[in-house]
Amino acid sequence: MARDTLTGSRMRERRVMIGMKQAELARRAGISASYLNLIEHNKRRIGGKLLLDFATILDVEPASLSEGAESTLLTSLREITASQPDHSAEVERVDEFAGRFPGWARLIETMAQQQSSLEQTVVSLTDRMTHDPQLAEALHDMLGAVTAIRSTSSILVETEKLEPEWQARFHRNINEDAKRLTEGSQALVSYMNGEKAETQQIMTPQDEIEAFFAQHGFHFPNLEKLATEAAAQTEIKALLAESSEQLVSASARIQLETLLLRYWRDAQALPLDILLEKVRAFGLEPARIAAGQAFDLGCVMRRLASVSGTELTECLNDPRYDLSADGLGLAICDSSGTLTMRKPLRRFPIPRFGSACPLWTLYQALTRPFSALREISVQSGPDAVHFETLAIAAPLHAPEFDTVPLLEAHMLIVPLASAPSGVDARPIGVSCRICAREACVGRREPSILTSGV
């Protein structure tokens, strides 16, 4: 049903809401009750002065009667319906529902957003509890203390005749282990509540590297201006010195030197102004951008991921994409599938530890070196957000006899504004543990979200 044909339904809902009788509304509007009844049942269209009169009497804006629910609310409701295909919701009547029951519609939208937020929290906490080294160490210490207390207490209970000296020693051991257990519990609670300093929450070199890139927005303008490698290395050392408090481990600093030097070389091969010019001409097409140039597709993908979403949006002006929030995402892995570089998006998280979804285009590229792959994917979860993923795998070095070629795969993640029509999107997830899609050929382990959040 068209939106402008539901004016009567909205009028009736508003009239009932404020407790006005139909006869009273008809009298104040100067029309018959029978004509008003036809209007309220959407059998007569109204507009002009009569619509303004009704809006004045009902104390609402005329647009709320003629246009109904906001387009963003309708879009949200349609996305919610699409994310729950097992439930036969009447999507073709979503405008009628939102127009007649705007409060319920907004409540559903709010609850869906809360569910999405809770799922993201579960993702983060599951990842943290599974792989956080400090958490694992704290739990190990607590388990050791509990085991020691139980063993000592068993000796005291089961030994009938125990010399006072040994009895006192066992009591002292229990007391010391109990203190250790208490201290460990308090430290664990403080850690889980985030009472530690932010610098202490970063535990691994990869965490430090990703925090460093995120702090700079994955873009280093001063580094791009330098013409020589020696100057670039000096700037890199200065950048790392500025973040010395965050870069605790030597491993993180060494890896960052390599990554930032690669960034500089990419910028020399494909300067930002030339990149943006090519984006205006060819769009988000890495193959066309790289055609006839000295750089490869991996370089183009890395450069595109370093550009802000605002700049890309201004260059493209393409309604198919939704780039304003995070720009483009990027995932790079080596031949083993280990992620060596990640730029996650708000709606496309990339696991910090463990294995990602095996259905990603990134891993398909490893099985087909030199093949440029493009795919439309849809993330699991209530949002059902669609992405275009472009991936390619290529050797890190020139081929040599009697050596194993080491591949590196890149995947550029492009968020789409809506689901493309006529295209079957590949369902993917983040990892098996937090993917609720049960019927998946790539599932390695049961999901904690199988029955919902």
PDB file of all heavy atoms in Angstrom, residues 362-378:
ATOM      1  N   LEU A 362      39.253 -13.711   1.003  1.00  0.00           N
ATOM      2  CA  LEU A 362      40.678 -13.683   1.293  1.00  0.00           C
ATOM      3  C   LEU A 362      41.287 -15.070   1.182  1.00  0.00           C
ATOM      4  O   LEU A 362      42.366 -15.254   0.587  1.00  0.00           O
ATOM      5  CB  LEU A 362      40.887 -13.118   2.707  1.00  0.00           C
ATOM      6  CG  LEU A 362      42.323 -13.059   3.223  1.00  0.00           C
ATOM      7  CD1 LEU A 362      43.090 -11.957   2.517  1.00  0.00           C
ATOM      8  CD2 LEU A 362      42.340 -12.840   4.736  1.00  0.00           C
ATOM      9  N   TYR A 363      40.602 -16.069   1.752  1.00  0.00           N
ATOM     10  CA  TYR A 363      41.152 -17.422   1.765  1.00  0.00           C
ATOM     11  C   TYR A 363      40.914 -18.140   0.439  1.00  0.00           C
ATOM     12  O   TYR A 363      41.689 -19.032   0.070  1.00  0.00           O
ATOM     13  CB  TYR A 363      40.553 -18.195   2.938  1.00  0.00           C
ATOM     14  CG  TYR A 363      40.836 -17.528   4.263  1.00  0.00           C
ATOM     15  CD1 TYR A 363      39.809 -17.101   5.091  1.00  0.00           C
ATOM     16  CD2 TYR A 363      42.144 -17.287   4.666  1.00  0.00           C
ATOM     17  CE1 TYR A 363      40.076 -16.474   6.301  1.00  0.00           C
ATOM     18  CE2 TYR A 363      42.424 -16.651   5.861  1.00  0.00           C
ATOM     19  CZ  TYR A 363      41.384 -16.252   6.676  1.00  0.00           C
ATOM     20  OH  TYR A 363      41.658 -15.614   7.862  1.00  0.00           O
ATOM     21  N   GLN A 364      39.859 -17.765  -0.262  1.00  0.00           N
ATOM     22  CA  GLN A 364      39.674 -18.319  -1.598  1.00  0.00           C
ATOM     23  C   GLN A 364      40.824 -17.902  -2.509  1.00  0.00           C
ATOM     24  O   GLN A 364      41.271 -18.674  -3.364  1.00  0.00           O
ATOM     25  CB  GLN A 364      38.346 -17.839  -2.187  1.00  0.00           C
ATOM     26  CG  GLN A 364      37.105 -18.272  -1.407  1.00  0.00           C
ATOM     27  CD  GLN A 364      35.848 -17.684  -1.998  1.00  0.00           C
ATOM     28  OE1 GLN A 364      35.682 -17.649  -3.218  1.00  0.00           O
ATOM     29  NE2 GLN A 364      34.959 -17.191  -1.153  1.00  0.00           N
ATOM     30  N   ALA A 365      41.307 -16.665  -2.312  1.00  0.00           N
ATOM     31  CA  ALA A 365      42.390 -16.170  -3.162  1.00  0.00           C
ATOM     32  C   ALA A 365      43.666 -16.986  -2.985  1.00  0.00           C
ATOM     33  O   ALA A 365      44.446 -17.145  -3.930  1.00  0.00           O
ATOM     34  CB  ALA A 365      42.651 -14.692  -2.846  1.00  0.00           C
ATOM     35  N   LEU A 366      43.901 -17.510  -1.764  1.00  0.00           N
ATOM     36  CA  LEU A 366      45.105 -18.304  -1.532  1.00  0.00           C
ATOM     37  C   LEU A 366      45.127 -19.568  -2.380  1.00  0.00           C
ATOM     38  O   LEU A 366      46.198 -20.082  -2.723  1.00  0.00           O
ATOM     39  CB  LEU A 366      45.210 -18.681  -0.053  1.00  0.00           C
ATOM     40  CG  LEU A 366      45.651 -17.580   0.913  1.00  0.00           C
ATOM     41  CD1 LEU A 366      45.582 -18.074   2.344  1.00  0.00           C
ATOM     42  CD2 LEU A 366      47.051 -17.083   0.590  1.00  0.00           C
ATOM     43  N   THR A 367      43.960 -20.085  -2.725  1.00  0.00           N
ATOM     44  CA  THR A 367      43.904 -21.301  -3.545  1.00  0.00           C
ATOM     45  C   THR A 367      43.992 -20.995  -5.034  1.00  0.00           C
ATOM     46  O   THR A 367      44.122 -21.916  -5.840  1.00  0.00           O
ATOM     47  CB  THR A 367      42.589 -22.060  -3.278  1.00  0.00           C
ATOM     48  OG1 THR A 367      41.471 -21.277  -3.734  1.00  0.00           O
ATOM     49  CG2 THR A 367      42.415 -22.339  -1.790  1.00  0.00           C
ATOM     50  N   ARG A 368      43.924 -19.712  -5.385  1.00  0.00           N
ATOM     51  CA  ARG A 368      43.959 -19.324  -6.806  1.00  0.00           C
ATOM     52  C   ARG A 368      44.884 -18.114  -6.972  1.00  0.00           C
ATOM     53  O   ARG A 368      44.425 -17.001  -7.219  1.00  0.00           O
ATOM     54  CB  ARG A 368      42.545 -18.995  -7.298  1.00  0.00           C
ATOM     55  CG  ARG A 368      41.573 -20.171  -7.191  1.00  0.00           C
ATOM     56  CD  ARG A 368      40.134 -19.727  -7.284  1.00  0.00           C
ATOM     57  NE  ARG A 368      39.846 -19.069  -8.543  1.00  0.00           N
ATOM     58  CZ  ARG A 368      38.671 -18.515  -8.840  1.00  0.00           C
ATOM     59  NH1 ARG A 368      37.696 -18.541  -7.945  1.00  0.00           N
ATOM     60  NH2 ARG A 368      38.474 -17.945 -10.000  1.00  0.00           N
ATOM     61  N   PRO A 369      46.196 -18.321  -6.826  1.00  0.00           N
ATOM     62  CA  PRO A 369      47.123 -17.185  -6.939  1.00  0.00           C
ATOM     63  C   PRO A 369      46.984 -16.460  -8.273  1.00  0.00           C
ATOM     64  O   PRO A 369      46.695 -17.074  -9.301  1.00  0.00           O
ATOM     65  CB  PRO A 369      48.494 -17.857  -6.807  1.00  0.00           C
ATOM     66  CG  PRO A 369      48.234 -19.138  -6.095  1.00  0.00           C
ATOM     67  CD  PRO A 369      46.876 -19.572  -6.543  1.00  0.00           C
ATOM     68  N   PHE A 370      47.172 -15.159  -8.235  1.00  0.00           N
ATOM     69  CA  PHE A 370      47.125 -14.264  -9.388  1.00  0.00           C
ATOM     70  C   PHE A 370      45.705 -14.061  -9.941  1.00  0.00           C
ATOM     71  O   PHE A 370      45.533 -13.336 -10.921  1.00  0.00           O
ATOM     72  CB  PHE A 370      48.033 -14.760 -10.528  1.00  0.00           C
ATOM     73  CG  PHE A 370      49.483 -14.789 -10.174  1.00  0.00           C
ATOM     74  CD1 PHE A 370      50.146 -15.981  -9.986  1.00  0.00           C
ATOM     75  CD2 PHE A 370      50.194 -13.604 -10.006  1.00  0.00           C
ATOM     76  CE1 PHE A 370      51.492 -16.005  -9.649  1.00  0.00           C
ATOM     77  CE2 PHE A 370      51.540 -13.614  -9.674  1.00  0.00           C
ATOM     78  CZ  PHE A 370      52.189 -14.828  -9.494  1.00  0.00           C
ATOM     79  N   SER A 371      44.705 -14.703  -9.336  1.00  0.00           N
ATOM     80  CA  SER A 371      43.322 -14.501  -9.789  1.00  0.00           C
ATOM     81  C   SER A 371      42.678 -13.408  -8.945  1.00  0.00           C
ATOM     82  O   SER A 371      42.631 -13.507  -7.715  1.00  0.00           O
ATOM     83  CB  SER A 371      42.507 -15.797  -9.663  1.00  0.00           C
ATOM     84  OG  SER A 371      43.016 -16.796 -10.516  1.00  0.00           O
ATOM     85  N   ALA A 372      42.188 -12.367  -9.618  1.00  0.00           N
ATOM     86  CA  ALA A 372      41.502 -11.281  -8.915  1.00  0.00           C
ATOM     87  C   ALA A 372      40.052 -11.689  -8.681  1.00  0.00           C
ATOM     88  O   ALA A 372      39.303 -11.899  -9.638  1.00  0.00           O
ATOM     89  CB  ALA A 372      41.583  -9.993  -9.719  1.00  0.00           C
ATOM     90  N   LEU A 373      39.659 -11.820  -7.429  1.00  0.00           N
ATOM     91  CA  LEU A 373      38.330 -12.311  -7.073  1.00  0.00           C
ATOM     92  C   LEU A 373      37.471 -11.171  -6.543  1.00  0.00           C
ATOM     93  O   LEU A 373      37.933 -10.309  -5.809  1.00  0.00           O
ATOM     94  CB  LEU A 373      38.438 -13.409  -6.012  1.00  0.00           C
ATOM     95  CG  LEU A 373      39.376 -14.579  -6.321  1.00  0.00           C
ATOM     96  CD1 LEU A 373      39.366 -15.587  -5.184  1.00  0.00           C
ATOM     97  CD2 LEU A 373      38.995 -15.248  -7.635  1.00  0.00           C
ATOM     98  N   ARG A 374      36.212 -11.203  -6.926  1.00  0.00           N
ATOM     99  CA  ARG A 374      35.238 -10.210  -6.450  1.00  0.00           C
ATOM    100  C   ARG A 374      33.991 -10.969  -6.008  1.00  0.00           C
ATOM    101  O   ARG A 374      33.540 -11.890  -6.693  1.00  0.00           O
ATOM    102  CB  ARG A 374      34.883  -9.231  -7.562  1.00  0.00           C
ATOM    103  CG  ARG A 374      33.931  -8.112  -7.111  1.00  0.00           C
ATOM    104  CD  ARG A 374      33.261  -7.447  -8.310  1.00  0.00           C
ATOM    105  NE  ARG A 374      34.229  -6.983  -9.285  1.00  0.00           N
ATOM    106  CZ  ARG A 374      34.767  -5.765  -9.295  1.00  0.00           C
ATOM    107  NH1 ARG A 374      34.413  -4.890  -8.382  1.00  0.00           N
ATOM    108  NH2 ARG A 374      35.628  -5.426 -10.230  1.00  0.00           N
ATOM    109  N   GLU A 375      33.429 -10.547  -4.875  1.00  0.00           N
ATOM    110  CA  GLU A 375      32.267 -11.252  -4.357  1.00  0.00           C
ATOM    111  C   GLU A 375      31.403 -10.310  -3.526  1.00  0.00           C
ATOM    112  O   GLU A 375      31.923  -9.412  -2.851  1.00  0.00           O
ATOM    113  CB  GLU A 375      32.731 -12.431  -3.492  1.00  0.00           C
ATOM    114  CG  GLU A 375      31.628 -13.372  -3.083  1.00  0.00           C
ATOM    115  CD  GLU A 375      32.197 -14.627  -2.440  1.00  0.00           C
ATOM    116  OE1 GLU A 375      32.768 -14.504  -1.334  1.00  0.00           O
ATOM    117  OE2 GLU A 375      32.119 -15.709  -3.038  1.00  0.00           O
ATOM    118  N   ILE A 376      30.108 -10.513  -3.586  1.00  0.00           N
ATOM    119  CA  ILE A 376      29.174  -9.811  -2.709  1.00  0.00           C
ATOM    120  C   ILE A 376      28.900 -10.725  -1.528  1.00  0.00           C
ATOM    121  O   ILE A 376      28.489 -11.875  -1.703  1.00  0.00           O
ATOM    122  CB  ILE A 376      27.869  -9.451  -3.430  1.00  0.00           C
ATOM    123  CG1 ILE A 376      28.153  -8.570  -4.645  1.00  0.00           C
ATOM    124  CG2 ILE A 376      26.921  -8.739  -2.470  1.00  0.00           C
ATOM    125  CD1 ILE A 376      28.788  -7.228  -4.326  1.00  0.00           C
ATOM    126  N   SER A 377      29.154 -10.232  -0.329  1.00  0.00           N
ATOM    127  CA  SER A 377      28.991 -11.029   0.881  1.00  0.00           C
ATOM    128  C   SER A 377      28.000 -10.351   1.810  1.00  0.00           C
ATOM    129  O   SER A 377      27.823  -9.132   1.770  1.00  0.00           O
ATOM    130  CB  SER A 377      30.333 -11.199   1.607  1.00  0.00           C
ATOM    131  OG  SER A 377      31.317 -11.713   0.737  1.00  0.00           O
ATOM    132  N   VAL A 378      27.359 -11.156   2.640  1.00  0.00           N
ATOM    133  CA  VAL A 378      26.449 -10.617   3.650  1.00  0.00           C
ATOM    134  C   VAL A 378      26.845 -11.207   4.990  1.00  0.00           C
ATOM    135  O   VAL A 378      27.006 -12.411   5.143  1.00  0.00           O
ATOM    136  CB  VAL A 378      24.967 -10.936   3.317  1.00  0.00           C
ATOM    137  CG1 VAL A 378      24.732 -12.442   3.145  1.00  0.00           C
ATOM    138  CG2 VAL A 378      24.040 -10.367   4.380  1.00  0.00           C
TER     139      VAL A 378
END
